[in-house]
Amino acid sequence: MTLQRTVPRRSTGPLLLGAGLLGLLVLALLLARQDAPASALPWATGVLLCLLLSALGIRSLAAGESRAARVLPAACTLLAAVLAAEALLRANAVPAGLIPTPSKVLAALWNARVVLLQDTLYTFLLEALLGFVVGTLAGLLLSLLVVRFSFLERGLLPYAALFSSIPIVALAPVVVKAIGLDWPSKLVVVAITVLFPVVVNTVRGLQSALPLHLDLMRTYAATPAQTFREVRVPTALPFVFNALKIGSTLALISAIVAEFFGTDGHGLGFRIQIEVGRFNLDIVWAAIVLASIVGIAFFGVINALERRFVGTGREA
């Protein structure tokens, strides 16, 4: 009896996806030109190709063919929406001062790239990221105190939950007027916004350790520090990372909103406010696109750290 060696068949799904996506990008660049044809056929072709590639990517993802198929369905769906918006805005001759086309937004993003990148780095690094770090560290320290001293839980956490319900638009002008127009006032707004989700989730995580595990550590004559390190911290990590993911989305939003109430002439919020007054909505949308990209990237970093230290979402 002879054994035949089976050679695994290489899937053509990724190749088809890559070729289709490349052709779709070429078509999108051609249609984005200002002298692109107004006929509905090229636009409909682009949208249908996007949807077809999205369905093919979902099929490849279900079959486990390629990791790239995780990104392609969402990317193709987004590109289909952009092409449809470009076609509708051009067909109805919507003024750029009202709603700019995606091609105009892309052109503004390139033409004003230096100023927009400077504003993005200013808002993200000096205000959102530093405020996120300060709020996270303060929240973790406060959580340790609340878990250590039970009277703080009864006397502090209810007020913390009440204070966290204050809208950013109500908190930001008070902090900006009290501290000043420079970036430290926005840092404080971001830190306050991030602080309370971290406190609430960390306290809940530290208190979620199973009594059986705590009794086992006492049986082994473990010190309180060892019990905290080996039992409470691993139990609390998923809660902490949930708070960090919430804070990562709130940090950039609160920094931009705080800039609406006063700034020293830098930042995405300042740029959006100024360009809206000038009716340069293409630059406004370009700033929004950059803010979205930075926010998604920041969330992705936190999610990657969670997979690294907690292991959630790790592939088998």
Side-chain angles (χ1 to χ4, degrees):
M1 181 177 180
T2 60
L3 296 177
Q4 294 182 353
R5 183 180 179 183
T6 60
V7 179
R9 294 169 53 188
R10 298 188 62 181
S11 174
T12 59
L15 295 178
L16 291 176
L17 285 173
L21 188 58
L22 180 60
L24 185 57
L25 289 176
V26 173
L27 178 62
L29 291 176
L30 292 176
L31 293 176
R33 297 171 55 186
Q34 297 301 320
D35 56 350
S39 174
L41 182 59
W43 300 100
T45 303
V47 173
L48 290 177
L49 184 56
C50 284
L51 297 178
L52 180 61
L53 285 177
S54 179
L56 184 58
I58 294 174
R59 180 180 177 183
S60 298
L61 178 61
E65 292 182 351
S66 173
R67 294 183 179 181
R70 296 176 180 271
V71 181
L72 285 175
C76 293
T77 304
L78 176 62
L79 196 53
V82 170
L83 288 176
E86 182 83 20
L88 290 174
L89 292 174
R90 289 194 182 191
N92 293 279
V94 178
L98 183 61
I99 304 178
T101 60
S103 60
K104 290 185 178 294
V105 173
L106 185 61
L109 188 61
W110 174 256
N111 295 331
R113 61 188 182 278
V114 176
V115 175
L116 289 175
L117 286 176
Q118 289 176 350
D119 290 333
T120 302
L121 292 177
Y122 184 90
T123 299
F124 178 68
L125 295 180
L126 286 180
E127 298 172 356
L129 184 58
L130 285 181
F132 177 82
V133 172
V134 172
T136 299
L137 294 178
L140 292 176
L141 178 61
L142 190 58
S143 302
L144 295 177
L145 294 176
V146 168
V147 174
R148 178 64 179 83
F149 303 102
S150 58
F151 71 91
L152 290 178
E153 180 181 3
R154 296 189 297 268
L156 182 63
L157 283 186
Y159 295 102
L162 178 64
F163 194 72
S164 64
S165 64
I166 299 177
I168 300 175
V169 293
L171 179 65
V174 176
V175 176
V176 170
K177 296 300 180 183
I179 299 179
L181 300 179
D182 292 335
W183 60 268
S185 60
K186 288 76 177 177
L187 185 150
V188 172
V189 172
V190 174
I192 293 175
T193 305
V194 174
L195 174 68
F196 298 104
V198 173
V199 171
V200 173
N201 282 274
T202 305
V203 169
R204 183 181 177 186
L206 291 174
Q207 293 177 344
S208 297
L210 294 177
L212 181 62
H213 294 168
L214 298 176
D215 292 339
L216 182 63
M217 295 299 290
R218 282 192 290 268
T219 302
Y220 289 151
T223 63
Q226 291 175 331
T227 303
F228 181 83
R229 183 178 64 253
E230 301 296 335
V231 176
R232 292 192 182 274
V233 170
T235 305
L237 277 181
F239 295 87
V240 173
F241 276 104
N242 283 336
L244 294 182
K245 287 190 287 188
I246 295 173
S248 66
T249 58
L250 294 177
L252 195 60
I253 296 174
S254 56
I256 293 175
V257 171
E259 289 175 349
F260 290 161
F261 299 98
T263 181
D264 56 355
H266 300 87
L268 287 175
F270 168 78
R271 189 62 51 194
I272 292 173
Q273 189 178 36
I274 290 298
E275 299 302 335
V276 164
R278 297 173 179 172
F279 291 96
N280 293 329
L281 294 187
D282 52 350
I283 298 181
V284 172
W285 278 101
I288 294 174
V289 169
L290 278 179
S292 302
I293 293 174
V294 171
I296 293 173
F298 192 22
F299 182 88
V301 170
I302 301 298
N303 198 33
L305 291 176
E306 182 183 17
R307 291 197 301 269
R308 170 65 178 82
F309 290 103
V310 180
T312 58
R314 184 176 299 171
E315 296 182 358

